[in-house]
Amino acid sequence: MAGSVLVTGGAGYIGSVVVAQLLGRGYEVVVLDDLSRGHRQAVAPEATFVRGGIGDRGVLDELLRRHRCDALVHLAAYALVGESVAKPEMYRANNVTAGRVLLEGVAAAGVRRVVFSSSCAVYGHPPATPISEQAPLMPVNPYGETKREFERLLTGFAAGDGATVFSLRYFNAAGASPHYGEDHAPETHLIPNVLRVASGALPALDVQGTDYPTPDGTAVRDYVHVLDIAHDPGAPVIRPSSSRRRVGPRRSSAGGRNTPVSTRSSRARGPGTWHTRMGTRTREG
Ligand SMILES: NC(=O)c1ccc[n+]([C@@H]2O[C@H](COP(=O)([O-])OP(=O)(O)OC[C@H]3O[C@@H](n4cnc5c(N)ncnc54)[C@H](O)[C@@H]3O)[C@@H](O)[C@H]2O)c1
């Protein structure tokens, strides 16, 4: 056995893929999810599932008493930008206040490795792209603020408890693994909605604005494949088979494919980050 990992939010879109990848790598996995936004059937059957909130210290302590966990992958959160603007207190309570209880619980149980699913929403409108890891954190919505605040809590955890922590500041997730994918209600993400329009399940596509400074006025969005976020080292890598340019229009690099640019361990300097090269103007949530 490679070790044991507690995955919060493991019944959600990204979490379900992360759980399956960890199991595939030989880890024992315990999922903590309150199913407020996720699905029980999205959790691979080989994982232990505990239904509960990350802010429920009783549930957490019992879970950590029964299951030794070497590391925490923290994905549980509310994650819709628009909803966060309408209900900022609800976002703060779930993403920060409940998150603090989670951190205190795992710290008390001796867990010293944490990977946090942050967001590039912590950067707000960055002064330049590609965004450097050192770019100022200036979120422009409550969702991004909760991510920045939780990162601060993580910095304290790293400094005070000698933990190693990572924050993954990625952009929009897309795609699926062969078994797990996206299933939100309501679905606000572009790609599932494009597919719903294509299949006739949705009458029209809302691209949310046509006044961006882009060739057709619609926003440019960058995506990271969900398997790249889960980072399966065994996943097939597509390598270019030709070095010749294709004739025809090309996208600028700013609108190109997301590529992880940095990994940094934390301890003394605060959370390490792993984020993506972006020319993107919008985040979906
Ligand atoms: N989807 C993206 O494009 C994207 C991009 C960047 C960062 N993120 C972050 O990644 C994480 C996962 O995103 P997702 O798209 O899979 O979201 P999701 O809504 O599909 O999954 C979140 C899961 O967390 C659970 N949850 C929420 N609050 C909880 C609580 N208090 N206690 C226990 N469980 C709780 C939900 O039930 C759900 O299963 C989130 O933290 C999100 O902010 C997502």
Side-chain angles (χ1 to χ4, degrees), residues 137-158:
L137 304 188
M138 295 190 296
V140 293
N141 54 59
Y143 168 71
E145 280 166 18
T146 65
K147 291 292 180 184
R148 179 178 61 177
E149 276 199 59
F150 190 84
E151 285 197 8
R152 286 181 178 151
L153 295 179
L154 270 185
T155 304
F157 182 41

Side-chain angles (χ1 to χ4, degrees), residues 57 60 64 101-112 114 157 161:
R57 188 65 191 267
L60 189 63
L64 291 164
V101 175
L102 171 72
L103 269 192
E104 289 167 355
V106 296
V111 178
R112 292 291 178 272
V114 179
F157 182 41
D161 295 83

Side-chain angles (χ1 to χ4, degrees), residues 8-16 32-39 50-56 74-80 93-95 98-99 116-121 143 147 168-174 181-184 189 223-224 226 229 283-285:
T8 69
Y13 168 38
I14 299 170
S16 63
L32 177 62
D33 197 303
D34 64 5
L35 298 184
S36 56
R37 308 269 157 120
H39 309 275
V50 176
R51 181 170 184 174
I54 56 169
D56 187 333
H74 177 38
L75 296 129
Y78 295 152
L80 299 175
N94 199 45
N95 297 0
F116 171 50
S117 191
S118 186
S119 166
C120 65
Y143 168 71
K147 291 292 180 184
L168 309 186
R169 294 173 181 162
Y170 50 93
F171 229 83
N172 301 298
E182 197 159 6
D183 184 7
H184 295 125
H189 293 162
Y223 290 90
V224 192
V226 69
I229 295 170
R283 226 206 84 77
E284 295 177 348

Side-chain angles (χ1 to χ4, degrees), residues 29-89:
V29 178
V30 182
V31 169
L32 177 62
D33 197 303
D34 64 5
L35 298 184
S36 56
R37 308 269 157 120
H39 309 275
R40 175 67 184 88
Q41 65 272 26
V43 180
E46 298 84 4
T48 300
F49 178 75
V50 176
R51 181 170 184 174
I54 56 169
D56 187 333
R57 188 65 191 267
V59 170
L60 189 63
D61 286 350
E62 177 65 9
L63 181 159
L64 291 164
R65 196 180 59 74
R66 284 173 178 260
H67 308 277
R68 184 181 62 88
C69 292
D70 305 313
L72 165 69
V73 177
H74 177 38
L75 296 129
Y78 295 152
L80 299 175
V81 170
E83 185 182 58
S84 81
V85 173
K87 300 174 181 175
E89 286 312 317

